């Protein structure tokens, strides 16, 4: 997948300053020649040696001539960049393709092409390009990789020009850049089911009773372009005008993935921290539920809901699933700790009666926040919680008493609550949560919840 091409533009349009700026591009060799020439000229003047003066002038003039010639060189070069892919999971590689076109009628000299990349993506790539003929092109590529999610700028593309003697080196830069999005790692999850589910798009799909098939019981007047096969003859005879059966739009089951981002709920940092596991788990759950046909939204403790459009802020029913997944993954790529201390704003976003399945990824919960999380269960059809203990993730010593007490409180409220240890496998926890709900028998029948 290509992402964000760099617009073609002439490199000579980026030149700024004057000849003095070009003199700053003298290489070590050029500065040495200039210094040696000046010293030889001074010595020749003091000693009265004309031959030495000629040598000194030659040494001093050569780098200056190379600088003037290089400065007056007007290469018309166009550059472009293509990312493949533009969105990549953490720990995976992306390839960056660079293309250089000589759009002038003259061949270029020796060129050095380099791209600016953040340190976290690896070393700065450099390529030496030999003479590019008039109208010719050169294509090169390099790989980037990051273990840390985020959005990283690539560019601007820089072109270094040098003279044949290596006396001077000038840099021309393109102004545009691209962005590489590194999203959290995701794991494929097994298609387990909880008790109390219904058939349809996901679990608990609502269907209206109809006179025939998927049709609504209330017909409407005929409109130009309606299919004549939808004509409801009984109502037509009754009202004296053409009436057609309404087509029911099936409603998908809903799923809310709640991510606890409170700074006080997590300890440690880095790719193996508890917070990164929670972010990766939320990404895996979102992807899985979208693939299973659910309408999904991402909710954080701050009350922010993604994508936030459509019916109830859910995505997947009115938007293309791939676009919805991309939007939520882009959000998770840059999500960071919040300064909030509670889950009350997330609780306020949840409405009663039709929230569907609720999947929560929590950090440390004190007694107050565990009580708020427990109340969320009443506003959903089914609820599954993954609770991470910071003490266990950072020091290897869990506070077993408080953690078990929080899990017990959630389970009594109807959650399928599991503690997450370092290095835990989310697919295995997914199966355990399904078994726990099945054994507890707490799945509600006839709701919009359920799990698939």
């Amino acid at each position: 997948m290509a992402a964000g091409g760099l617009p073609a533009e002439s490199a000579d349009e980026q030149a700024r300053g004057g000849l003095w700026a070009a003199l700053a591009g003298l290489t070590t060799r050029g500065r040495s020649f200039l210094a040696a020439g000046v010293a030889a000229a001074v010595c020749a003047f003091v000693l009265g040696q004309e031959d030495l003066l000629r040598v000194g002038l030659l040494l001093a003039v050569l780098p200056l001539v190379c600088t003037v010639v290089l400065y007056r060189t007007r290469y018309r070069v166009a550059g472009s960049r293509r990312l493949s892919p533009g969105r990549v999971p953490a720990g995976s590689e992306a390839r960056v393709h660079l293309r250089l076109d000589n759009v002038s009628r003259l061949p270029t000299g020796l060129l050095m092409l380099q791209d600016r990349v953040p340190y976290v993506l690896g070393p700065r790539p450099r390529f030496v390009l030999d003479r590019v003929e008039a109208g010719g092109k050169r294509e090169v590529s390099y790989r980037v990789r990051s273990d840390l999610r985020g959005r990283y700028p690539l560019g601007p593309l820089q072109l270094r020009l040098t003279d044949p003697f290596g006396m001077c080196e000038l840099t021309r830069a393109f102004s545009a850049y691209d962005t590489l999005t590194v999203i959290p790692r995701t794991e494929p999850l097994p298609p387990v089911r909880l008790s109390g589910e219904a058939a349809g798009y996901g679990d608990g799909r609502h269907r209206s009773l109809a006179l025939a098939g998927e049709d609504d019981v209330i017909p409407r007047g005929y409109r130009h372009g309606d299919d004549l096969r939808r004509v409801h003859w009984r109502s037509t005879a009754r009202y004296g005008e053409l009436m057609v059966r309404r087509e029911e739009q099936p409603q998908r089951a809903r799923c809310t993935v709640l991510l606890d981002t409170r700074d006080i709920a997590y300890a440690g940092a880095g790719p193996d921290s508890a917070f990164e596991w929670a972010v990766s788990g939320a990404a895996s759950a979102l992807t899985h539920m979208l693939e299973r046909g659910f309408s999904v939204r991402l909710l954080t403790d701050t009350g922010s809901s993604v994508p936030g459009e459509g019916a109830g802020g859910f995505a997947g029913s009115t938007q293309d699933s791939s676009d919805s997944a991309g939007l939520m993954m882009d959000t998770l790529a840059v999500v960071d700790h919040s300064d909030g201390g509670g889950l009350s704003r997330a609780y306020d976003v949840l409405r009663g009666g039709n929230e569907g399945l609720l999947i929560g990824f929590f950090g440390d919960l004190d007694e107050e926040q565990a009580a708020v999380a427990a109340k969320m269960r009443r506003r959903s059809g089914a609820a599954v919680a993954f609770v991470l203990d910071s003490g266990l993730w950072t020091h290897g010593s869990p506070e077993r008493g408080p953690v078990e007490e929080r899990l017990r409180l959630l389970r009594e409220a109807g959650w399928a609550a599991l503690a997450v240890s370092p290095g835990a496998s989310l697919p295995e926890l997914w199966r355990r949560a399904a078994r726990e709900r099945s054994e507890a028998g707490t799945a509600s029948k006839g709701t919009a919840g359920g799990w698939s």
Side-chain angles (χ1 to χ4, degrees):
M1 178 182 64
L6 178 66
E9 52 183 308
S10 299
D12 61 334
E13 294 177 358
Q14 300 298 323
R16 293 294 181 268
L19 188 58
W20 289 109
L23 289 175
L26 285 173
T27 62
T28 302
R29 179 185 298 177
R31 295 175 187 274
S32 300
F33 268 64
L34 182 60
V38 172
V42 172
C43 292
F45 179 77
V46 173
L47 300 176
Q49 296 290 330
E50 295 183 1
D51 293 338
L52 183 58
L53 179 61
R54 297 189 185 95
V55 173
L57 291 177
L58 176 62
L59 294 176
V61 169
L62 181 60
L64 297 178
V65 171
C66 291
T67 300
V68 173
V69 171
L70 189 62
Y71 173 73
R72 294 180 62 84
T73 299
R74 291 295 181 263
Y75 294 136
R76 293 183 57 81
V77 180
S80 61
R81 180 191 298 105
R82 180 172 58 89
L83 305 183
S84 179
R87 184 187 292 117
V88 63
S92 300
E93 290 185 344
R95 184 168 289 275
V96 183
H97 301 269
L98 303 177
R99 173 171 171 169
L100 200 68
D101 294 89
N102 183 9
V103 297
S104 67
R105 298 182 178 180
L106 299 175
T108 69
L110 187 67
L111 303 176
M112 176 181 286
L113 188 67
Q114 71 175 12
D115 207 7
R116 297 185 62 180
V117 300
Y119 175 77
V120 70
L121 296 182
R124 178 174 298 182
R126 292 183 174 90
F127 305 93
V128 177
L129 305 179
D130 204 352
R131 178 179 178 273
V132 181
E133 65 279 3
K137 64 180 181 180
R138 296 290 185 272
E139 295 184 357
V140 293
S141 64
Y142 64 93
R143 295 176 296 179
V144 291
R145 179 181 181 274
S146 174
D147 291 328
L148 300 174
R149 56 186 176 82
R151 292 174 61 87
Y152 302 102
L154 300 178
L157 193 63
Q158 293 181 333
L159 194 64
R160 287 190 179 183
L161 313 177
T162 184
D163 65 282
F165 299 101
M167 297 290 179
C168 184
E169 193 175 79
L170 298 181
T171 300
R172 300 289 185 263
F174 298 91
S175 59
Y177 64 92
D178 289 330
T179 301
L180 175 68
T181 303
V182 181
I183 62 176
R185 296 186 183 95
T186 59
E187 298 182 80
L189 302 179
V192 298
R193 289 184 177 274
L194 297 182
S195 58
E197 62 190 14
Y201 286 121
D203 302 310
R205 174 191 175 196
H206 291 299
R207 292 176 177 268
S208 301
L209 294 178
L211 291 176
E214 296 289 330
D215 301 322
D216 200 309
V217 295
I218 304 177
R220 61 170 175 81
Y222 175 82
R223 298 171 186 169
H224 179 70
D226 284 340
D227 191 345
L228 292 178
R229 290 175 295 182
R230 311 301 300 178
V231 173
H232 191 262
W233 298 110
R234 183 181 302 175
S235 298
T236 298
R238 178 179 179 182
Y239 294 103
E241 60 176 324
L242 280 178
M243 305 293 291
V244 296
R245 296 188 295 264
R246 294 180 179 178
E247 295 183 358
E248 178 201 16
Q249 299 297 327
Q251 178 182 358
R252 297 189 179 191
R254 293 177 170 182
C255 174
T256 298
V257 177
L258 173 61
L259 176 61
D260 181 8
T261 64
R262 295 172 300 136
D263 187 36
I264 60 175
Y266 300 93
D272 298 326
S273 63
F275 181 66
E276 292 301 323
W277 192 98
V279 173
S280 178
S284 301
L286 288 170
T287 303
H288 176 75
M289 302 312 291
L290 280 172
E291 291 175 350
R292 304 297 295 178
F294 279 70
S295 295
V296 182
R297 71 174 171 182
L298 171 65
L299 180 65
T300 66
D301 59 288
T302 62
S304 301
S305 179
V306 181
E309 298 179 356
F314 289 85
S317 56
T318 59
Q319 295 177 316
D320 185 76
S321 294
S322 60
D323 294 339
S324 304
L327 179 59
M328 288 182 280
M329 286 298 175
D330 288 345
T331 302
L332 289 176
V334 296
V335 70
D336 202 354
H337 293 289
S338 68
D339 297 329
L343 302 171
S344 57
R345 281 181 288 183
Y347 173 75
D348 293 337
V349 173
L350 297 174
R351 301 173 304 166
N354 195 27
E355 287 303 308
L357 173 63
L358 177 61
I359 304 175
F361 293 85
F362 299 102
D364 288 335
L365 295 173
D366 56 23
E367 185 175 355
E368 179 183 356
Q369 300 311 315
V372 175
K375 290 191 297 183
M376 292 181 182
R377 169 63 182 85
R378 296 198 296 267
R379 297 192 171 187
S380 64
V384 181
F386 301 96
V387 182
L388 293 86
D389 178 16
S390 294
L392 182 61
W393 280 78
T394 55
H395 309 296
S397 54
E399 299 179 6
R400 190 165 189 81
V403 172
E404 291 298 332
E405 178 63 24
R406 308 298 181 252
L407 293 176
R408 184 189 62 79
L409 181 61
L410 293 177
R411 287 165 182 161
E412 289 178 351
W415 286 80
L418 297 174
V420 181
S421 58
S425 170
L426 181 59
E428 180 57 32
L429 292 174
W430 198 257
R431 295 188 183 92
R432 285 177 52 193
R435 290 196 298 266
E436 181 173 315
R437 279 199 57 83
S438 179
E439 294 172 358
T442 57
S444 301
K445 297 182 179 180
T447 67
W451 193 13
S452 177

